[in-house]
Amino acid sequence: MNPKLSLLQPYPFERLRKLFADVTPNPDYRPISLGIGEPKHATPDFLKQALAAALDTGLTTYPATAGEPALREACAAWLQRRYGVSVNPATQVLPVNGSREALFAFAQTVIDPTQPGATLVFPNPFYQIYEGAAFLSGARPHYVASDPARNFAVDWDSVPEAVWAQTQLIFVCSPGNPTGAVMPLDEWKKLFDLSDRFGFVIASDECYSEIYFRDEPPLGGLEAARQLGRTDFKNLLMFTSLSKRSNVPGLRSGFVAGDAELIKPFLLYRTYHGGAMSPAVQAASAAAWNDEAHVVDNRRQYCEKFAQVTPVLAQVLDVSLPDAAFYLWAEVPTVFAGRLPGLTADEAFARELLAQYNVTVLPGSYLAREVAGVNPGKARIRMALVAEPAECLEAARRINAFVFHND
Ligand SMILES: Cc1ncc(COP(=O)(O)O)c(C=O)c1O
């Protein structure tokens, strides 16, 4: 067996199952989960129809890994409308089967493990695929804490020069999971300057870009590059997805765009790995990227939900409306520290909340790693507001009562 497999950490939901194994949820309440970040709003009908209409012809051929021109052109046109960015659909866009597999596969394409100290840098807390991608590519992960005092900005300045010198790839997550923080232009400039100095590649994970709560849409990586005059997108690839934008996590569809010199080897890698997208999925995906009305409506639903739920939770928890994405990343009251022997405050909070009010939240320490004695997720919980507003509001009211009675 590949010995690197043993480096993979249990997934947060596996750890949650273990934490809850001997908990009996209060039967007076029906279960509500804010645990998994899986979109629950309805899939638009036109998208289902586009998929069904493509089935007749869409299953009879092997698709090309590069995807059909119609899909790549739809992706490029969306980038132009959304970010004012021009890319060549033939050389700077590639469809992928969701951003998860693409993020993982890209690390396998980029990392040269024969170089001493090959390093992959990413935020802490983080989406766990980043760490697995590092381990299996033969790179060592370097975790960079986000700073709650600066709207959870990732503390890139904390990375030593010696680490940057060995860095081959970094993952940026903006809007961030779980913090919802959007990276501003000056931070992009900092990363571009570092990339120019040290030669590393930037993979920008932007799958939450269309769920935001303020007037201005989140800045994208390619958009930042364009604003800074980097129109060749050197050493930069953005990863986006329909899962959250169009409520189709089961479709497995996204795309990457950016530096043509990165797309070329990635396409080669994907050809061998078998990363081609089904023609039927391609047809549905092109329809989805070409339509914006459903995205506007989806965003409106999240805005209304967050406007209702956040104030109820803010009465008892240190939490506020994030820049974007569909999570609340809240600090738990100090009273939960040391509450249950052997458990962190966030684990104790999650266990007791399930036992008393039958609501599931994810302990923040499961989404982060301890570095120099500090786990930046410790004493935080992640709440995914993906369910219907009434259900999320009911969960918020129960959490409110829970904190009130346990504080
Ligand atoms: C930060 C982040 N990136 C990527 C993904 C993967 O999404 P998908 O593979 O559905 O595009 C997720 C999914 O939850 C995520 O939270």
Side-chain angles (χ1 to χ4, degrees):
M1 284 294 163
N2 182 343
K4 292 177 191 144
L5 285 168
S6 65
L7 299 171
L8 298 175
Q9 300 292 301
Y11 219 61
F13 301 107
E14 230 175 294
R15 296 177 68 183
L16 193 64
R17 262 194 301 279
K18 238 186 220 157
L19 178 71
F20 288 170
D22 59 347
V23 177
T24 307
N26 185 341
D28 292 346
Y29 295 98
R30 68 190 164 76
I32 300 182
S33 177
L34 307 181
I36 298 192
E38 180 181 71
K40 294 277 181 228
H41 296 174
T43 298
D45 282 339
F46 84 88
L47 220 159
K48 291 188 253 183
Q49 283 156 12
L51 184 64
L55 287 179
D56 266 351
T57 54
L59 302 180
T60 55
T61 53
Y62 277 118
T65 309
E68 290 297 319
L71 173 58
R72 295 205 308 267
E73 281 158 18
C75 297
W78 180 76
L79 287 175
Q80 180 72 57
R81 286 194 305 275
R82 170 65 172 82
Y83 296 114
V85 154
S86 297
V87 295
N88 181 340
T91 57
Q92 292 183 299
V93 174
L94 200 56
V96 297
N97 295 309
S99 48
R100 179 187 188 129
E101 67 89 358
L103 291 158
F104 179 84
F106 189 58
Q108 316 314 308
T109 308
V110 169
I111 296 293
D112 174 0
T114 66
Q115 296 298 309
T119 299
L120 204 166
V121 170
F122 52 86
N124 192 23
F126 59 96
Y127 178 51
Q128 191 152 319
I129 297 305
Y130 305 160
E131 186 188 57
F135 284 140
L136 283 177
S137 70
R140 65 174 171 224
H142 183 89
Y143 309 90
V144 193
S146 66
D147 181 0
R150 292 189 300 124
N151 185 32
F152 302 105
V154 178
D155 191 8
W156 304 113
D157 290 338
S158 71
V159 179
E161 293 257 319
V163 172
W164 285 131
Q166 296 186 319
T167 298
Q168 297 183 10
L169 175 64
I170 76 171
F171 284 126
V172 171
C173 188
S174 175
N177 172 6
T179 66
V182 171
M183 202 164 85
L185 189 64
D186 57 340
E187 279 188 49
W188 277 108
K189 179 162 183 347
K190 180 182 298 190
L191 292 182
F192 292 147
D193 289 348
L194 286 163
S195 165
D196 288 346
R197 260 180 79 201
F198 295 103
F200 60 74
V201 169
I202 302 173
S204 177
D205 179 357
E206 305 180 9
C207 67
Y208 294 99
S209 66
E210 303 316 288
I211 300 166
Y212 53 87
F213 306 104
R214 326 225 188 266
D215 290 342
E216 201 178 321
L219 180 67
L222 299 188
E223 185 182 22
R226 182 186 60 76
Q227 288 182 13
L228 295 166
R230 303 170 67 93
T231 46
D232 60 353
F233 310 120
K234 184 166 183 291
N235 275 338
L236 173 65
L237 208 61
M238 61 91 81
F239 294 67
T240 190
S241 166
L242 289 174
S243 299
K244 282 90 175 160
R245 174 187 182 270
S246 301
N247 294 308
V248 282
L251 189 67
R252 310 313 302 131
S253 177
F255 72 87
V256 301
D259 187 348
E261 296 306 311
L262 296 173
I263 297 270
K264 212 187 293 173
F266 195 32
L267 173 58
L268 175 67
Y269 176 91
R270 298 181 66 71
T271 306
Y272 279 82
H273 190 83
M277 181 186 285
S278 160
V281 174
Q282 290 193 50
S285 302
W289 290 115
N290 284 333
D291 183 83
E292 210 53 39
H294 75 286
V295 185
V296 173
D297 186 58
N298 188 35
R299 186 159 52 242
R300 178 192 55 75
Q301 293 179 53
Y302 280 113
C303 285
E304 287 174 10
K305 184 159 47 180
F306 271 71
Q308 288 175 39
V309 171
T310 314
V312 177
L313 291 169
Q315 288 169 9
V316 292
L317 294 175
D318 179 13
V319 71
S320 56
L321 191 68
D323 293 336
F326 50 49
Y327 302 109
L328 289 174
W329 179 235
E331 199 169 359
V332 305
T334 48
V335 68
F336 288 92
R339 175 75 153 254
L340 299 176
L343 296 184
T344 56
D346 46 310
E347 287 178 315
F349 185 100
R351 250 184 86 105
E352 302 258 276
L353 176 64
L354 183 73
Q356 295 177 30
Y357 287 93
N358 212 345
V359 173
T360 298
V361 297
L362 194 61
S365 56
Y366 294 1
L367 296 166
R369 295 286 175 261
E370 185 172 312
V371 178
V374 180
N375 180 324
K378 202 167 116 181
R380 289 193 173 272
I381 47 159
R382 191 190 77 176
M383 293 169 278
L385 301 193
V386 287
E388 291 305 315
E391 184 147 311
C392 289
L393 196 56
E394 165 69 16
R397 291 195 176 118
R398 290 191 210 166
I399 293 170
N400 189 307
F402 168 71
V403 177
F404 187 75
H405 288 120
N406 286 271
D407 209 352

